[in-house]
Amino acid sequence: MTSSKRVLIVGGVAGGASCAARLRRLCETAEIVMFDRGPYVSFANCGLPYYVGNVIRNEAKLLVASADLFKSRFDIDVRTGHEVVAIDRKACAIAVRNLVTGEIRQERYDALVLSPGARAIRPDVPGVDLFGVFSVRTIPDSRRVREFIDEKSPKAAIVVGGGFIGLEMAENLVQRGMSVTVVEKADQVMPPLDFEMAAFVERRLRERGVAVRISDAVAGFAHSADGRIVTTTEKGARITGDLVVLAIGVRPETSLAVACGLEIGPTGGIAVDDCMRTSDLRIYAVGDAVETTDVVTGKKQIVPLAGPASRQGRVAAGAIAGREVRFRGAQATAVCGVLGLTVAATGASEKALVRAGIADYDRIYLHPGHHAGYYPGSKPIHMKVLYRRSDGRILGAQAIGEEGVERRIDVISTAIQLGATMHDLAEAELCYAPQYGAAKDPINLAGFIGENALSGDMPLARWEDVGAAFVLDVRDPGECAAGMLSGAVNIPLSELRGRLGELPKDRSIDVMCAAGQRAYYAVRLLRQHGLDARNLCGGWRTYEAMR
Ligand code: FAD
């Protein structure tokens, strides 16, 4: 970029602030003005639940960069308390309302970047605006919840929505000493995860005293005679609490884009190309407001996460500065802490593959320790990995556990980005000392299992089809006392070689154990004796989660 361009940015948080700062690094001559209707720019939305929970005690810590810093360090003009109310594409100008004085001014642009984020969805039910019913999207929002908690010492809270933000809020309200009920419309918490993986999260919530109402939606809120809030649900439950937090998701903030006729994509986000340019070549859009391409399914999707928003801001800045840049799409890599559990996922879930009409996939489950079992403190990681059956390419992964979860998902996320296969995971060379990992890291184990399935050494049986074949349980009898599949025959692995005659030669044999490893050994043994054995992958631990 040579001559002095005037670049205006709407929204000064993840996408907008990244774009502004990057643009200055690429171009000293541009005039950059960033507008935000809120009182701050560049604040840490992701920290808000922890501010409510008093884990982050000082509100100032949420401010990553101030307007003064943008001015002094980058010569970027920041106007907070200024709402952009219209875009005149013909005149290349925006109308900006000063929220203090009410004055509206026209501002001309050479390039305009929209990063207005998303708005919290509020259920259309009676009482949603009552005092004590909150959403948490901004610092003032979370300050209001904090002040409410500090003043009223509430005993019970209802969180509406069991997704990432809802469960972060639930954790932080528990942290503030409240008993918490989560109401979730879907038939599971953490809707981006597959059902059986979400079961581990739901179990943890219940174990820690959080009441979970799934497959139910709120129908309304009302004040009780003693000033508390009664939440009613569509299934007729009445839950009395002192405060309600709404966390049922977000919708792209597209009002400006719609009003000026920019193209909106099929998912409801602003349509952009891979340089983050909208249908108007002078207008770029980034962050929660846009739709992006899912790198796994190729479908359009909305990914309201900070990482993609920042990277898109960087790409838009590059494009404005005339660089060859491209946003490659997003794969929804996300992590969340829930009462001591870490829940992380990347790429497509199984239900996303099904929704996208992709049938060429298989899945494996494993439950390895996060580090060598002989070193004290090893904790299980429950993992599911999806890959293409035809060539082993990794499509997605989900993992849940207390330690080492995000590291494994980050490795798989990078593998997906590089187009890697299950064979690459088998070959991955990862750091190991007993307190950190294992010589055969969970990543390698996932790769081994995938390779064994792909090569035909260990065909996989599906839990959904269980019962059609002969079921062999190779756990020890003591383990089976906790529960067995109906009709299953128990022959412990150590006795199997001597008892092959008890197995049918004319039927498939689905083999299971506790987590899948002994079943693998048994499958190899049986197949080498000419029997059609398959592994019920993930064993009893997966089956229990599926129920
Ligand atoms: P935003 O960061 O929402 O910024 C948009 C800004 O635009 C706002 O400040 C708004 O005031 C302003 N604006 C909108 N319209 C106008 C207008 N017309 N005029 C002027 N200004 C306007 N993501 C993660 O990856 N990890 C997490 O752990 C995580 N936790 C989260 C927790 C919470 C409670 C919330 C709310 C979000 C969380 N996110 C998390 C999501 C992440 O914060 C967003 O994906 C990211 O901030 C999106 O960036 P953005 O620039 O698109 O929009």
Side-chain angles (χ1 to χ4, degrees), residues 11 13-15 36-37 45-46 82 84 115-117 137 165 287-288 304-306:
V13 192
D36 203 296
R37 62 185 167 202
N45 324 41
C46 311
H82 281 72
V84 177
S115 187
R137 269 216 72 79
I165 293 177
D288 288 1
L305 290 170

Side-chain angles (χ1 to χ4, degrees), residues 522-534:
V523 166
R524 291 305 305 142
L525 191 165
L526 299 181
R527 292 191 76 80
Q528 291 183 72
H529 281 87
L531 297 170
D532 178 23
R534 308 178 300 192

Side-chain angles (χ1 to χ4, degrees), residues 10-17 35-38 40 43-50 82-85 115-118 136-138 165 168-169 250 253 256 286-289 303-310 333 335:
V10 185
V13 192
F35 299 93
D36 203 296
R37 62 185 167 202
Y40 310 105
F43 66 89
N45 324 41
C46 311
L48 299 179
Y50 304 93
H82 281 72
E83 180 169 31
V84 177
V85 291
S115 187
V136 178
R137 269 216 72 79
T138 61
I165 293 177
E168 285 182 353
M169 285 307 303
V250 293
E253 174 54 88
L256 280 174
V286 302
D288 288 1
V303 181
L305 290 170
S310 304
T333 306
V335 65

Side-chain angles (χ1 to χ4, degrees), residues 208-244:
R208 296 288 166 95
V210 174
V212 184
R213 283 193 72 83
I214 52 169
S215 306
D216 200 0
V218 288
F221 308 100
H223 274 145
S224 62
D226 56 354
R228 303 186 79 199
I229 299 176
V230 180
T231 303
T232 49
T233 72
E234 286 180 357
K235 288 194 173 162
R238 285 170 60 82
I239 313 159
T240 302
D242 305 295
L243 88 131
V244 174

Side-chain angles (χ1 to χ4, degrees), residues 222-483:
H223 274 145
S224 62
D226 56 354
R228 303 186 79 199
I229 299 176
V230 180
T231 303
T232 49
T233 72
E234 286 180 357
K235 288 194 173 162
R238 285 170 60 82
I239 313 159
T240 302
D242 305 295
L243 88 131
V244 174
V245 175
L246 302 173
I248 59 172
V250 293
R251 239 179 235 123
E253 174 54 88
T254 55
S255 48
L256 280 174
V258 169
C260 74
L262 293 179
E263 186 186 332
I264 303 298
T267 61
I270 303 172
V272 287
D273 65 11
D274 56 7
C275 300
M276 309 314 298
R277 222 174 351 223
T278 66
S279 53
D280 180 322
L281 297 186
R282 284 177 186 264
I283 305 181
Y284 297 75
V286 302
D288 288 1
V290 304
E291 63 172 29
T292 56
T293 305
D294 181 327
V295 294
V296 174
T297 65
K299 304 276 181 203
K300 292 296 178 192
Q301 60 172 353
I302 307 276
V303 181
L305 290 170
S310 304
R311 296 201 312 279
Q312 290 164 359
R314 185 179 163 89
V315 167
I320 293 167
R323 300 283 177 107
E324 286 284 322
V325 284
R326 189 179 154 261
F327 184 71
R328 51 179 282 282
Q331 60 194 64
T333 306
V335 65
C336 179
V338 185
L339 298 165
L341 272 188
T342 302
V343 184
T346 185
S349 61
E350 186 170 3
K351 61 187 165 196
L353 292 174
V354 171
R355 249 192 332 259
I358 296 170
D360 178 13
Y361 77 88
D362 234 324
R363 62 177 191 213
I364 59 158
Y365 298 97
L366 62 162
H367 308 273
H370 87 285
H371 64 46
Y374 67 82
Y375 188 86
S378 175
K379 301 277 175 58
I381 303 180
H382 307 291
M383 292 175 70
K384 175 177 185 175
V385 184
L386 295 138
Y387 58 91
R388 219 150 53 192
R389 197 182 292 127
S390 52
D391 62 4
R393 192 166 168 156
I394 308 157
L395 301 174
Q398 297 157 52
I400 295 154
E402 294 186 358
E403 302 280 350
V405 170
E406 67 286 9
R407 173 179 148 205
R408 273 59 187 217
I409 288 298
D410 277 344
V411 170
I412 297 180
S413 163
T414 309
I416 291 174
Q417 179 165 8
L418 299 175
T421 66
M422 297 302 273
H423 306 292
D424 296 308
L425 295 190
E427 284 287 320
E429 187 167 315
L430 303 167
C431 50
Y432 159 57
Q435 67 273 45
Y436 298 112
K440 290 177 190 165
D441 190 88
I443 292 289
N444 300 125
L445 296 178
F448 298 155
I449 297 169
E451 277 194 327
N452 288 334
L454 285 161
S455 68
D457 279 349
M458 185 194 66
L460 300 173
R462 288 170 57 86
W463 286 100
E464 294 89 328
D465 306 331
V466 84
F470 181 90
V471 180
L472 171 65
D473 189 331
V474 295
R475 291 177 298 165
D476 291 336
E479 296 173 87
C480 294

